[in-house]
Amino acid sequence: MIKKVFSKKRMIRTLCLLFMVGILCMYNYQEVFATGLDLDLNTDTVETTPGLDPDSGELLTPEDVSQLNIADNLTISVSNGNGSIAGALRILLILTGIAIAPILIICLTSFTRIIIVLHFTRAALNTQTAPPNQVLIGLTLFLTFFIMTPTINQVYQEAFVPYDQGELTWEEALDAAVEPMREFMYPQTNVKDVSMFMQIAGHEWDGTKESVPMSVLIPSFMVSELRTAFIIGFLIYIPFIVIDMVVASVLMSMGMMMLPPTTISMPFKILLFVLADGWNLVIMNLVRTFY
């Protein structure tokens, strides 16, 4: 019984195979060539022959055929490097700017000083996570944008707009964009820090801004920002330390040794900070340090 089943399957497969072979043998092969083209498979060139104008019936020259066949032509116009930025290049520049934006904001702007001072303020109030980190970072970003707006506008007008109009090359636009950033960073940088990094780099410094390379100015600016931020943070801590000392001495005089002084002093710190309009004072004086 099993042998009969296998033999029937083989017969069915054989018949199907013969049927497919018969169909292939009956199929007519046709050679198709493009009209108006003389193809030589032994050469790498293709010669075109004049065609007929569908309207007038006259013969067309190869130049006329190329003008009619616009869809298959690719035209690239070059105007000696002038003109607007191409769409692909513009997208590349935008994506590159987004990728390096965080490091540029941290190293070349007022972001570092502001975020450190705000964290010192929160630590002095002893409120742990109030305001949260997201609020502090958002406030810092907007304050940074507020402070850097004149510099950003100068970079846009002196570097991006001329480059977009084809008046500057890429190297010239980069130099024009760096100069406003140097004008912002150098006044905020301590001379001692610049001298230190110039000595580490093995360069002689004549005391002028033009002789300081960006590789020296950027770390000098960051170190100066850290120093300034810590000085401001120390000044913010002083009134709150006085409150902690007063509360601790009162608790000790009352014999309440087991009660943490920070638990009692924190409401008084918040009350003092609110009555003195602390956020206004901190932000206003912090922003003024850049002018």
Side-chain angles (χ1 to χ4, degrees):
M1 184 67 183
I2 297 175
K3 291 182 179 180
K4 291 182 179 180
V5 173
F6 278 107
S7 62
K8 289 182 179 180
K9 291 183 177 180
R10 289 179 181 176
M11 291 179 62
I12 294 173
R13 292 177 181 176
T14 304
L15 291 175
C16 293
L17 180 60
L18 293 175
F19 182 73
M20 294 178 62
V21 172
I23 293 175
L24 293 176
C25 292
M26 295 172 62
Y27 183 77
N28 293 326
Y29 292 95
Q30 298 180 357
E31 296 181 356
V32 180
F33 298 96
T35 304
L37 293 178
D38 294 334
L39 300 178
D40 189 359
L41 299 180
N42 296 325
T43 61
D44 296 333
T45 61
V46 178
E47 297 181 358
T48 61
T49 58
L52 295 177
D53 189 353
D55 297 329
S56 61
E58 298 179 355
L59 292 177
L60 298 177
T61 62
E63 290 77 9
D64 296 333
V65 174
S66 63
Q67 292 179 359
L68 292 175
N69 194 14
I70 299 175
D72 295 337
N73 294 335
L74 176 63
T75 303
I76 300 176
S77 300
V78 179
S79 57
N80 196 20
N82 297 325
S84 60
I85 302 176
L89 181 57
R90 192 183 297 272
I91 294 175
L92 178 62
L93 293 176
I94 293 174
L95 294 178
T96 303
I98 293 174
I100 64 175
I103 190 65
L104 294 179
I105 292 174
I106 293 174
C107 297
L108 305 181
T109 66
S110 58
F111 182 89
T112 301
R113 184 190 304 184
I114 297 173
I115 192 65
I116 292 176
V117 171
L118 293 181
H119 273 283
F120 269 119
T121 304
R122 186 179 67 179
L125 289 171
N126 197 25
T127 54
Q128 301 299 326
T129 57
N133 291 330
Q134 292 84 351
V135 175
L136 293 182
I137 294 175
L139 178 60
T140 304
L141 287 174
F142 278 101
L143 290 176
T144 301
F145 179 77
F146 174 77
I147 295 171
M148 299 298 299
T149 296
T151 304
I152 295 174
N153 290 335
Q154 189 176 358
V155 171
Y156 178 78
Q157 295 295 333
E158 296 181 2
F160 182 79
V161 173
Y163 177 72
D164 191 23
Q165 296 176 353
E167 299 176 0
L168 297 177
T169 62
W170 171 252
E171 293 79 7
E172 294 173 347
L174 183 60
D175 294 337
V178 168
E179 190 60 30
M181 300 303 301
R182 292 174 60 90
E183 293 290 339
F184 169 78
M185 296 168 61
Y186 187 78
Q188 309 297 330
T189 306
N190 198 322
V191 176
K192 180 174 63 177
D193 297 328
V194 177
S195 178
M196 177 187 67
F197 280 101
M198 291 291 285
Q199 291 179 1
I200 294 174
H203 301 299
E204 295 183 358
W205 186 38
D206 55 1
T208 60
K209 178 185 64 177
E210 290 74 16
S211 61
V212 180
M214 287 296 293
S215 59
V216 172
L217 183 59
I218 292 176
S220 303
F221 172 75
M222 294 189 66
V223 172
S224 299
E225 288 291 287
L226 292 175
R227 180 185 294 105
T228 305
F230 272 74
I231 293 174
I232 298 174
F234 171 75
L235 297 177
I236 293 174
Y237 253 99
I238 292 178
F240 299 106
I241 291 177
V242 173
I243 294 176
D244 285 334
M245 294 175 62
V246 172
V247 172
S249 61
V250 171
L251 292 177
M252 186 176 297
S253 62
M254 296 175 62
M256 303 174 67
M257 302 290 186
M258 303 302 295
L259 185 63
T262 55
T263 305
I264 305 300
S265 63
M266 187 175 67
F268 292 100
K269 291 180 181 179
I270 297 175
L271 179 63
L272 175 64
F273 195 74
V274 172
L275 293 177
D277 198 4
W279 288 115
N280 187 14
L281 292 174
V282 171
I283 293 176
M284 179 179 62
N285 291 283
L286 179 60
V287 172
R288 286 180 176 177
T289 59
F290 292 96
Y291 297 99

